[in-house]
Amino acid sequence: MSNEMSYNFRRFKLYDKANPEVWQMFESFALQAAKSTKRYSARAIFHRIRWETMVSGNGEFKINNNWSKYYALKFMAAHPQHSGFFQTRSSGAFYV
């Protein structure tokens, strides 16, 4: 894992820990999408999270688009039956 990648991954892990509701929404929306299609976009789910939090009046989450890969990997690790649901670029990174 490159230094830049490990830095981004560490930042993602901190954000994920501090904002568990983002993961809860990501997982819920991904499972919902998985009922209708074999592949989907993690960034599309990010946009839905932003939309849902904006229209609910509960504020908006600041989510770094670069973290979509990590949420996608986390989802596929948590739900191995959906392996390959998100297409991620090969970077040597993995979710643990």
Side-chain angles (χ1 to χ4, degrees):
M1 187 180 296
S2 72
N3 287 338
E4 178 183 342
M5 183 57 65
S6 55
Y7 173 75
N8 286 335
F9 186 65
R10 285 192 312 267
R11 287 184 58 221
F12 162 75
K13 293 283 282 184
L14 291 171
Y15 177 86
D16 186 40
K17 186 175 183 177
N19 298 281
E21 59 277 10
V22 173
W23 165 245
Q24 292 167 354
M25 285 186 283
F26 186 92
E27 183 180 38
S28 174
F29 297 152
L31 287 169
Q32 187 177 16
K35 291 178 183 177
S36 302
T37 187
K38 292 183 181 194
R39 289 191 182 269
Y40 201 63
S41 163
R43 286 202 178 174
I45 292 175
F46 271 29
H47 291 305
R48 182 168 178 198
I49 291 169
R50 290 177 180 124
W51 169 262
E52 295 288 340
T53 58
M54 178 190 68
V55 298
S56 71
N58 293 331
E60 294 180 60
F61 287 104
K62 301 292 184 189
I63 306 172
N64 185 329
N65 278 336
N66 294 331
W67 296 339
S68 63
K69 170 176 52 179
Y70 300 122
Y71 277 106
L73 292 170
K74 180 177 180 176
F75 175 81
M76 292 185 292
H79 302 277
Q81 71 274 26
H82 297 298
S83 177
F85 184 67
F86 296 109
Q87 184 175 4
T88 58
R89 293 184 179 162
S90 176
S91 66
F94 58 91
Y95 188 84
V96 178

